[in-house]
Amino acid sequence: MTPDNKGRGHIESTVTLERVHPGKSLSLICGSLTWLRDHEAAGHEQPVNTSDDVEPAWVAESVRKERLRHVLEERRLFQARLNKVQDREKRERQRYENGQAHPKRLRTDGDTIREDNGNGEEDFVLEDYDSDTEEDKKSQGAGETSEIRYSVNSVELMKKLGMVQTHGDDEDVSPYTGQTKIFFCSRTHSQLTQFASELRRVKIPPLDLGEVMTKDTSTDDLADDVRYLSLGSRKNLCINPKVTKLGNTTAINEKCLDLQTPGTSSDRKCQFLPTKESEVLVNDFRDYAMAKVRDIEDLGALGKKIGICPYYASRAVIPSSEIIALPYPLLLQKSAREALGISLKDHVVIIDEAHNLMDAVANIYSVSVTLVQLQQSRAQLGMYLQKFRNRLKGKNRVYVAQIIRLLDSLITYLANKAGGPGVAEGTAALSELMAGRGVDQINMFKLDRYIRESKLARKVDGYTSSIEDSTKPSTSRKTSTPFLMLVQSFLQVLTNPTQEGRFFYSCNETEKVALKYMLLDPVHYFRDVVQDARAVILAGGTMSPMDDYMNHLFPYVPSSQIRILSCGHVIPSENLAVYPVSCGPTGVDLDFTYSKRALPSLIDELGRTLLALAKTIPDGLVVFFPSYAYLEVVIARLKRTGQDGQNTTASNASMWTLLARRKPIFLESKHNGNQGADMLDELPMSAGSTANLLRSADQTEDVLKAYTASIINGKAGFLLSVIGGKLSEGINFSDRLGRGVVVVGLPFPNIQSAEWKAKMAYIEAQASSAIPPSSLASVAGKPGGDKTIQGKRAAREFYENACMRAVNQSVGRAIRHKGDWAAIILLDGRYKSERIWAKLPAWIRASADGNCESTGGGESTPKSFTTQIMGSQNQFAKVVTGLESFFRGKLGLE
């Protein structure tokens, strides 16, 4: 890993790193920290440029050493502070172990939480607003705050506390300010917690500074630990009970900002918010946070102990950190980075679990709103306007009227769709959404700015909540996101360029009627990260196929600046058995295409196939289905019919019963409710203990615990899951938990959906326009004919890659360490096509060599792809025989 800038202002290299063995995080940590230490040491070795070119070399060298000694002294003092903190924590831990009481925490007034009762209707009145002053606000910095969409008070607060790096002469500047940092990003906070756990295992040697270090400084003094900071959202770090009780992320953010509004009485402001007077507590938080590797939960507990808000106080830790971990939204949104005072300029960015990256960028900038939410927003705004109409003046009255007209236009559009012919979904033209009277004359950019700067959504919600509180008990207060705030997010995307996203409407039983804006092109929103950073490293265990990253995430980066490192698996190929299976035990073709997968004969054959595999594969068997809906269809059929496909009788047990007798069945639920447990109510008595164990399960963790317990107790287990579901990512089915992984079909997205039609059309158009005319050949005598063909080919490739990335992520749940072994069975004849087979990771294809034959070009494809060499029943029998031989060998039975 050598992310060297070499003097260029843009990214030197975007590295797509595919590592398929556990220890990926440890490899990234060790590699990046080693490079970071070497890079810093090399920087200190650079000669000093003196003002006089005729100065002798020994003068420049003396200046360099003096500067280095100064740096070392500052860091020695910094480390001494951290050592004191570590000693203090050690003494507290010893007192606790000896049964002594903890000392009082550093801020005792945090024990009393004042209730927010409000100051009356005056709090809900809009301040006078004049759009003519917008340009002046920009020049005074308000424009920046508008752009980042965060409170002016939040930015000013961070500047006062040094959380935005504007250092004065008397500020306590970190000795590590300006040092190159590593920003590590992953999808969820739980994954970042795992990263912190791995980081605690690492011991990095002290920085080698050569002669100055050995003569002037003890190496023990410089043997500092890794300086690590985990950043999180308010929802993860807020310690104010009256804010955290709201539960919803948006509501928590808005309440936090509301408590900082100028003019708010002191008894209503958040007492944990850092101030100039509490700067000593912020410094204590900084030192404690740096004293050891702490995850996000540790920082929350530290903030409670000290009595300071960890969300804001953690900003003061940024300059001293060398590794900063944060979830996707905080890194990928420019507004979030600016609000946190984070600059990626010349720093290294590592994005883990990068197979999710394109979807993550698209989801962050996509938003949806339902007809009910629009109607509720309109009703709340009408109630507010009726109360305060006479107190709204000038621009306030104009803009509120514009919002009402816009809401009426959107409501009319969706109401017409709901009452029209039964079209479930489709593309919504922006002109249709804004077809209401006078709506096309609205300046959406000014209206968006007004909504944010006037805090209209917060005031309307505050007023309507106060009305509800006066008529309902406090225990029934809502904790969901206020309707107008949801609509506000949707109104903001009306200003987006039409070519990078599309609007859709949908009508279904759960959401009724809804509008959605979907980002089609993530290139623009990821470009800031790529251009600012010194290097961007995309890391993942199963990132194949990887062409999409170059074509649809950073197509503007020259190929010379992209490096791909793909590592094989740590296990020998004989530890993995891979079988693509195209037919079942009775010779029925396993064709799980959308048009055929619901056929009763196919589901019956699937049941017989799973039963045969359950008899062969020991311990845990994880089965992935293409969707929750199809999983429900399969379960319903297996419970209703026996092994012969006939309805169950007293003498003809259902296939579901036969499977449960072989291995207890565990089921992933689509929701966090009791669906997974409820569907097990009809299990036979032999699996009754499993059903009872899951009766109260309402989380994925409960299903995993029950599944694990069953295997540990020697009962084995069937775990039915869904590709792209909770169990297909971030879960390790190592050793006995996953001796077999079965993939049923291919999880192709619904290409007939409006969203995928738009996405495919967009990719086709982009690919066609990117082809230079000089490279076009003629097709059937028509010049330029290749342009359309190449566009369709690119769209098809993207569609297949989306499917295969999901498959590869699921099969990667097995084989988690070098001594592990398992079998992977791919149930669908399409896995034997060259296009699909080539998109599997190389380490999986290599382990299937014994089941493959050469195509003559150095590639291997599954047997019977080119020639049918045996009967269908004999094919499946050979698969079973191969599996039996594999597991006998691994269990030492041969």
Side-chain angles (χ1 to χ4, degrees):
M1 184 187 303
T2 57
D4 295 324
N5 197 318
K6 298 182 181 178
R8 286 181 282 211
H10 55 271
I11 184 173
E12 151 59 16
S13 60
T14 300
V15 182
T16 302
L17 174 64
E18 181 185 16
R19 307 184 75 88
V20 295
H21 57 82
K24 173 190 63 177
S25 298
L26 206 55
S27 300
L28 290 171
I29 290 170
C30 294
S32 58
L33 281 177
T34 299
W35 175 86
L36 194 62
R37 295 291 197 272
D38 293 344
H39 174 71
E40 184 180 3
H44 288 303
E45 292 296 326
Q46 293 294 324
V48 177
N49 293 325
T50 59
S51 58
D52 190 348
D53 293 337
V54 299
E55 290 285 355
W58 67 267
V59 173
E61 179 64 13
S62 177
V63 172
R64 184 189 70 82
K65 290 185 175 180
E66 181 59 32
R67 182 186 63 182
L68 183 55
R69 273 191 287 268
H70 177 69
V71 170
L72 293 177
E73 177 61 18
E74 284 187 331
R75 295 188 179 184
R76 187 189 65 79
L77 295 175
F78 179 83
Q79 187 62 40
R81 288 208 316 266
L82 300 189
N83 292 339
K84 290 181 180 179
V85 170
Q86 292 170 347
D87 292 341
R88 192 181 309 161
E89 289 190 321
K90 183 178 179 180
R91 290 194 300 270
E92 289 181 3
R93 186 167 56 252
Q94 290 174 345
R95 280 197 296 267
Y96 176 77
E97 292 172 351
N98 294 332
Q100 300 176 14
H102 277 293
K104 292 183 179 180
R105 68 187 188 180
L106 299 180
R107 186 173 183 174
T108 56
D109 61 350
D111 294 326
T112 303
I113 304 299
R114 295 177 291 271
E115 190 64 32
D116 183 5
N117 296 318
N119 287 334
E121 293 179 354
E122 292 298 325
D123 292 339
F124 310 130
V125 180
L126 290 169
E127 299 177 4
D128 290 343
Y129 184 85
D130 187 357
S131 60
D132 295 334
T133 64
E134 288 166 2
E135 294 302 321
D136 295 335
K137 291 181 180 179
K138 281 186 179 181
S139 63
Q140 297 170 5
E144 178 185 0
T145 305
S146 297
E147 172 62 24
I148 64 176
R149 301 183 179 182
Y150 276 75
S151 163
V152 177
N153 309 311
S154 300
V155 176
E156 289 301 319
L157 174 65
M158 289 186 285
K159 287 180 179 179
K160 290 178 181 179
L161 295 171
M163 298 170 186
V164 177
Q165 296 179 19
T166 54
H167 302 299
D169 296 336
D170 57 348
E171 291 184 17
D172 183 12
V173 181
S174 167
Y176 297 98
T177 298
Q179 179 186 350
T180 300
K181 303 181 188 302
I182 296 169
F183 289 90
F184 182 89
C185 176
S186 196
R187 192 169 59 93
T188 65
H189 282 291
S190 62
Q191 290 168 340
L192 294 178
T193 298
Q194 295 175 6
F195 177 79
S197 178
E198 292 287 339
L199 192 59
R200 293 187 184 101
R201 300 170 54 192
V202 176
K203 299 297 181 183
I204 296 295
L207 186 65
D208 183 7
L209 297 178
E211 180 182 357
V212 173
M213 179 176 173
T214 56
K215 286 186 177 182
D216 297 346
T217 312
S218 167
T219 58
D220 293 336
D221 294 336
L222 290 178
D224 55 328
D225 296 325
V226 177
R227 302 185 307 282
Y228 171 80
L229 172 65
S230 181
L231 293 176
S233 63
R234 286 183 176 89
K235 185 175 182 180
N236 293 101
L237 290 174
C238 179
I239 60 174
N240 190 332
K242 63 186 178 185
V243 178
T244 56
K245 71 179 181 181
L246 299 176
N248 182 275
T249 300
T250 304
I252 289 175
N253 289 340
E254 291 296 328
K255 185 64 175 179
C256 176
L257 296 177
D258 185 46
L259 295 178
Q260 304 173 46
T261 304
T264 303
S265 60
S266 58
D267 64 322
R268 293 184 60 215
K269 286 187 176 181
C270 178
Q271 63 194 61
F272 301 106
L273 196 67
T275 63
K276 265 297 182 183
E277 291 72 23
S278 63
E279 190 170 355
V280 63
L281 299 182
V282 174
N283 292 336
D284 284 337
F285 181 92
R286 175 199 61 198
D287 292 345
Y288 271 88
M290 285 285 93
K292 66 177 183 180
V293 174
R294 301 179 190 268
D295 58 30
I296 200 72
E297 288 79 11
D298 295 332
L299 290 182
L302 179 62
K304 288 182 179 179
K305 176 181 178 181
I306 295 178
I308 199 73
C309 173
Y311 175 76
Y312 283 107
S314 59
R315 309 304 184 266
V317 190
I318 292 176
S320 301
S321 305
E322 57 184 334
I323 294 186
I324 298 174
L326 63 174
Y328 276 179
L330 297 186
L331 179 82
L332 299 178
Q333 285 181 293
K334 184 178 181 181
S335 59
R337 296 197 304 271
E338 290 177 340
L340 296 175
I342 290 176
S343 170
L344 302 180
K345 190 67 175 176
D346 294 332
H347 298 301
V348 177
V349 175
I350 300 176
I351 300 178
D352 197 16
E353 302 295 336
H355 64 278
N356 290 306
L357 183 56
M358 286 183 289
D359 290 338
V361 176
N363 290 337
I364 286 173
Y365 292 96
S366 299
V367 62
S368 63
V369 62
T370 67
L371 176 59
V372 171
Q373 291 168 343
L374 289 170
Q375 292 170 334
Q376 291 283 359
S377 299
R378 176 63 174 85
Q380 290 181 353
L381 196 56
M383 185 188 307
Y384 179 85
L385 189 60
Q386 183 178 5
K387 176 67 177 178
F388 298 103
R389 181 187 302 274
N390 295 332
R391 305 180 67 173
L392 296 181
K393 301 178 182 178
K395 294 295 183 180
N396 278 326
R397 178 172 294 185
V398 171
Y399 282 124
V400 170
Q402 288 182 357
I403 295 171
I404 290 177
R405 290 204 301 269
L406 182 55
L407 287 175
D408 287 341
S409 181
L410 296 175
I411 290 171
T412 300
Y413 175 84
L414 283 184
N416 290 337
K417 292 298 180 182
V423 179
E425 60 179 5
T427 304
L430 185 59
S431 58
E432 295 177 338
L433 298 179
M434 303 182 69
R437 182 172 59 88
V439 176
D440 59 340
Q441 302 299 317
I442 297 176
N443 185 323
M444 293 304 303
F445 292 95
K446 283 191 173 184
L447 184 61
D448 176 35
R449 183 182 298 117
Y450 168 78
I451 293 174
R452 288 184 276 109
E453 292 184 357
S454 67
K455 303 179 180 62
L456 174 67
R458 199 183 310 162
K459 291 182 179 292
V460 171
D461 177 69
Y463 173 69
T464 54
S465 296
S466 68
I467 299 299
E468 291 179 7
D469 291 345
S470 64
T471 58
K472 298 180 182 179
S474 59
T475 55
S476 63
R477 290 178 185 174
K478 61 184 179 181
T479 59
S480 59
T481 303
F483 292 117
L484 195 55
M485 292 180 186
L486 289 172
V487 174
Q488 175 182 332
S489 300
F490 187 82
L491 297 184
Q492 289 171 352
V493 301
L494 294 175
T495 63
N496 288 2
T498 56
Q499 69 271 17
E500 68 182 26
R502 296 288 186 276
F503 291 94
F504 303 92
Y505 70 88
S506 63
C507 306
N508 55 60
E509 295 181 358
T510 55
E511 293 183 354
K512 303 300 181 184
V513 187
L515 269 176
K516 179 179 181 181
Y517 172 82
M518 185 177 75
L519 181 69
L520 298 177
D521 188 358
V523 171
H524 170 73
Y525 294 95
F526 193 62
R527 193 174 194 135
D528 289 336
V529 176
V530 174
Q531 292 184 331
D532 284 350
R534 184 187 198 94
V536 176
I537 300 172
L538 308 185
T542 46
M543 290 180 62
S544 298
M546 292 189 285
D547 292 343
D548 285 351
Y549 302 99
M550 280 73 82
N551 297 333
H552 305 294
L553 197 57
F554 34 81
Y556 49 86
V557 178
S559 58
S560 60
Q561 294 182 0
I562 299 176
R563 302 176 187 176
I564 298 177
L565 173 62
S566 182
C567 303
H569 213 294
V570 294
I571 64 165
S573 58
E574 58 266 22
N575 277 21
L576 179 65
V578 179
Y579 287 91
V581 181
S582 59
C583 60
T586 64
V588 176
D589 289 338
L590 299 179
D591 182 1
F592 291 98
T593 54
Y594 187 79
S595 60
K596 297 180 179 180
R597 66 185 187 182
L599 293 174
S601 59
L602 179 59
I603 297 177
D604 292 339
E605 188 74 347
L606 173 60
R608 289 187 287 267
T609 301
L610 294 178
L611 183 60
L613 294 176
K615 294 177 181 178
T616 307
I617 299 175
D619 298 318
L621 180 58
V622 184
V623 184
F624 288 103
F625 288 80
S627 69
Y628 289 103
Y630 185 60
L631 174 58
E632 292 176 2
V633 170
V634 170
I635 290 175
R637 174 72 183 179
L638 296 182
K639 286 182 176 181
R640 193 168 58 247
T641 59
Q643 192 169 0
D644 56 0
Q646 302 300 314
N647 288 336
T648 58
T649 63
S651 59
N652 185 25
S654 70
M655 180 58 71
W656 183 264
T657 300
L658 296 176
L659 290 171
R661 287 174 181 171
R662 178 62 56 177
K663 294 178 186 286
I665 299 176
F666 301 82
L667 179 64
E668 175 186 354
S669 169
K670 181 177 181 179
H671 306 288
N672 285 337
N674 290 330
Q675 178 182 352
D678 293 341
M679 296 185 72
L680 290 173
D681 284 345
E682 300 179 31
L683 285 178
M685 292 302 295
S686 61
S689 59
T690 301
N692 291 334
L693 191 58
L694 285 180
R695 275 301 170 224
S696 60
D698 59 357
Q699 297 289 337
T700 302
E701 291 77 7
D702 296 309
V703 178
L704 285 174
K705 289 178 181 178
Y707 172 70
T708 303
S710 179
I711 293 175
I712 292 176
N713 294 332
K715 297 180 181 179
F718 245 128
L719 182 57
L720 306 184
S721 184
V722 172
I723 297 174
K726 305 178 188 72
L727 298 179
S728 66
E729 295 188 32
I731 305 296
N732 296 338
F733 295 112
S734 60
D735 300 316
R736 295 173 60 195
L737 295 182
R739 289 304 184 203
V741 173
V742 178
V743 180
V744 178
L746 286 159
F748 281 108
N750 182 9
I751 200 170
Q752 298 303 320
S753 70
E755 293 181 10
W756 266 97
K757 283 182 179 179
K759 188 175 292 187
M760 296 284 280
Y762 179 81
I763 293 173
E764 185 176 335
Q766 290 292 102
S768 299
S769 63
I771 302 173
S774 59
S775 67
L776 294 176
S778 62
V779 176
K782 297 180 180 180
D786 265 1
K787 212 168 193 179
T788 301
I789 293 176
Q790 291 294 335
K792 291 184 179 298
R793 185 177 299 168
R796 177 185 176 186
E797 188 76 8
F798 182 86
Y799 182 64
E800 291 179 349
N801 289 349
C803 167
M804 292 308 296
R805 270 197 302 273
V807 170
N808 295 338
Q809 185 66 17
S810 296
V811 298
R813 298 307 90 208
I815 309 290
R816 307 304 298 176
H817 59 84
K818 65 181 180 180
D820 207 353
W821 44 272
I824 295 175
I825 298 94
L826 308 171
L827 300 182
D828 199 306
R830 289 173 291 177
Y831 283 108
K832 293 189 175 185
S833 70
E834 288 184 281
R835 290 182 60 86
I836 298 300
W837 184 254
K839 296 180 188 298
L840 290 166
W843 61 277
I844 290 181
R845 300 199 306 270
S847 295
D849 281 346
N851 311 315
C852 299
E853 54 191 19
S854 174
T855 59
E859 292 289 331
S860 294
T861 55
K863 283 184 177 179
S864 76
F865 168 66
T866 55
T867 306
Q868 191 79 6
I869 59 176
M870 62 180 70
S872 296
Q873 295 184 38
N874 289 337
Q875 286 185 40
F876 186 79
K878 186 174 182 181
V879 171
V880 173
T881 301
L883 288 171
E884 289 175 345
S885 176
F886 173 78
F887 285 110
R888 279 200 306 268
K890 294 303 173 185
L891 294 171
L893 300 178
E894 290 186 338

